[in-house]
Amino acid sequence: MKNSGNDSLGAEDRQPKESTISNLDSRFNQTLRNVQGLLKGRSIPGKILLTRRADVLDSSSVSDKPSNYSRSLSDNDTGTSNHIAKSEEEDLQIINNNSIVNKSKSSTSNTEDLTKEVQKPIMGARATDSARVMKFTTLLSGTTIILDKLRELAWSGIPPYMRPNIWRLLLGYAPPNSDRKEGVLRRKRLEYLDSVAQFYDVPDTERSDDEINMLRQIAVDCPRTVPDVAFFQQAQVQKSLERILYTWAIRHPASGYVQGINDLATPFLVVFLSEYLEGGVEKWSISDLSPDKITNIEADCYWCLSKLLDGMQDHYTFAQPGIQRLVFKLKELVRRIDEPVSRHMEEQGLEFLQFAFRWFNCLLIREIPFHLVTRLWDTYLAEGDSLPDFLVYIFASFLLTWSEELQKLDFQELVMFLQHVPTQNWTHQELEMVLSRAFMWHSMFNNSPRHLIS
C-alpha cells in the first residue's frame, strides 16, 4: 500500500509542471486558431504551419522556457513568390492542421504523449539542418549558381559562415559564374579605391559647399550609428563608415546622403568583417586587420549598399516618395488584417507616418536587437527586386505583434510605445514569427490588390 504522505508530495511536485504544460497547450492552440482563422477561405501556396519547438518539454527546464513557435513549409511548396521559404533551420516538426498533438484526458498521459511527440523532431531537426547546409554547399559548389534556388534557401536564413559569399551573390555584386568571381571582385574593389581617392581623399577647398555640408552631416551621424554596440564606437570603424557613405552619396547625386542610410551600411560591415574576425562582434577590433583587408571590406560594403539602394531609389530622393507610398500601403493592409487596431489608431489621431516612416527608412535596424538584424536581412536580400513591396507585409506583422496592447493605449502612449517597441529581449523565435505572418499575408493579399482598396 502506497504511503499517503508520498502521494501528497508527488501531487504537489507534479502540479506546477502540469500547470505549465496546460499553459503551453493553451497558448499553442490559441496561436494555431488565430492562424487558421486567417487562412480560412484563402488559397495559400504550400502549407504554412506552426509547431512547438522541441525543447519546451525538457523536464529540467519546462518551468523556465517560454512556448516558442516557428514557421515551416512543405518541401514541395510552389507559390506566387520566388522566395518560397523552406524553414528547416529551426528545430521544427511539420504537422498538419488536422493532426495536432492529441490531448489526453489525464494530465499524466498528456505529458507522456507530448514528450513522445517532441522526441521525433529532435533527431529530425538535426538531420534537416544538416541536409539544409548540404543544399547550400551543393548549390554553391556548382560552376554556375542558380540564383532562384539560392533565394529559396536563403529566405529562411543563411548559415553565418556562408553569409558573406551568399549576400554578394544575392545582390548581384559577385557573378553566379564562379570562374569570373575573383576577377570581378578585384576590379570592383579597385574601382572603389579610385572613387575614394577621387572624392574623399581631397581637401575641403576642392569640395562644393553642399559636399562640405554633406560630409559634416555624415561625420555627425557615424558616431550615432548602432550606439548600443561598442564595436561601432571605434574611431577606425566610424572612419570606414564615413568613407563608404560619402563616396556613395557623391556617386548618387539624385538622392545624396539621407539620414538612415548610415544604418543600412552596418549589416554589410558586420557580415564582411566576419570573414576576417572571429567570435562575437563585441570582441572585435578593426585595428587587428591590415589596410588591404579593411579596403576590401569597405569596397564590398559600398557595392552591396549600392545594389540594395538601386532597388529603392525613390526612398531617398527629395521628399522620399517611395517611403510615403509604402506607408500608405501599410495603413491599408493593417486596416484589412486587424480592423480594431486600425480603427483605434485612427480614433486616437495617430498617423502611420509618425512611426512607420523610420521603419521604412532604416529597415527596422533601430527597432530590433542588432544580433537579429543579419537574419532579417537574409530574407530582405532573398526577396530581391520584390523587397520594397514585401516590407509592407513584414512591418504589418511587426506592428500587429502588439495588437492587444495597442488597443489599450491613448495617443501619447501609442507614440511612445511605437517609438520604443519592446523588442530588447527578442530571440530568433519572435523574428521568425514576424516573417511567418508576413509570408502568409503576402500570399493572401499580394495578388489580390482589390482586397486592399478602401
Side-chain angles (χ1 to χ4, degrees), residues 224-373:
R224 299 172 179 171
T225 305
V226 199
D228 54 337
V229 178
F231 171 74
F232 287 100
Q233 305 313 306
Q234 296 176 27
Q236 201 168 351
V237 173
Q238 293 178 10
K239 185 57 69 174
S240 288
L241 198 54
E242 186 177 297
R243 275 193 293 267
I244 294 166
L245 294 171
Y246 183 77
T247 304
W248 182 88
I250 291 295
R251 293 191 60 172
H252 294 80
S255 63
Y257 174 72
V258 176
Q259 286 180 298
I261 295 179
N262 54 313
D263 291 277
L264 304 187
T266 57
F268 297 123
L269 198 55
V270 167
V271 165
F272 296 130
L273 276 164
S274 71
E275 289 187 287
Y276 302 97
L277 298 173
E278 297 180 352
V281 67
E282 67 278 357
K283 298 179 181 178
W284 287 358
S285 174
I286 198 171
S287 60
D288 293 340
L289 301 177
S290 67
D292 286 346
K293 288 180 179 177
I294 292 174
T295 298
N296 287 345
I297 291 165
E298 284 184 22
D300 290 358
C301 290
Y302 168 83
W303 286 112
C304 287
L305 178 66
S306 299
K307 296 285 187 179
L308 175 72
L309 296 180
D310 282 350
M312 49 181 72
Q313 290 186 38
D314 60 351
H315 288 210
Y316 302 98
T317 53
F318 178 73
Q320 299 180 258
I323 289 181
Q324 296 198 49
R325 184 176 63 253
L326 293 183
V327 170
F328 174 78
K329 287 185 177 181
L330 174 63
K331 180 179 179 179
E332 287 299 298
L333 182 62
V334 170
R335 181 192 60 78
R336 175 63 178 169
I337 293 171
D338 196 329
E339 198 274 337
V341 167
S342 176
R343 184 175 63 250
H344 177 72
M345 293 171 70
E346 187 172 345
E347 289 172 351
Q348 293 300 317
L350 181 67
E351 293 293 335
F352 274 64
L353 274 172
Q354 291 175 280
F355 63 90
F357 187 89
R358 187 175 81 175
W359 296 5
F360 283 104
N361 196 53
C362 303
L363 301 186
L364 286 188
I365 285 179
R366 299 185 186 181
E367 273 59 53
I368 65 173
F370 193 71
H371 72 275
L372 298 177
V373 168

Side-chain angles (χ1 to χ4, degrees), residues 14 46 78 98 117 144 148 220 246 260 298 305 324 331 335 373 410 449:
R14 287 194 303 270
T78 57
N98 298 317
E117 218 30 66
T144 301
D148 284 347
V220 168
Y246 183 77
E298 284 184 22
L305 178 66
Q324 296 198 49
K331 180 179 179 179
R335 181 192 60 78
V373 168
D410 62 23

Side-chain angles (χ1 to χ4, degrees), residues 51 107 138 378-379:
T51 179
S107 59
T138 302
D378 290 341
T379 297

Side-chain angles (χ1 to χ4, degrees), residues 132-164:
R132 192 161 181 276
V133 171
M134 184 58 69
K135 287 180 182 178
F136 273 114
T137 304
T138 302
L139 197 57
L140 294 173
S141 64
T143 304
T144 301
I145 296 163
I146 303 172
L147 292 180
D148 284 347
K149 290 186 177 180
L150 185 61
R151 291 187 190 282
E152 287 185 7
L153 277 175
W155 202 98
S156 298
I158 301 169
Y161 69 95
M162 295 182 177
R163 195 169 270 139

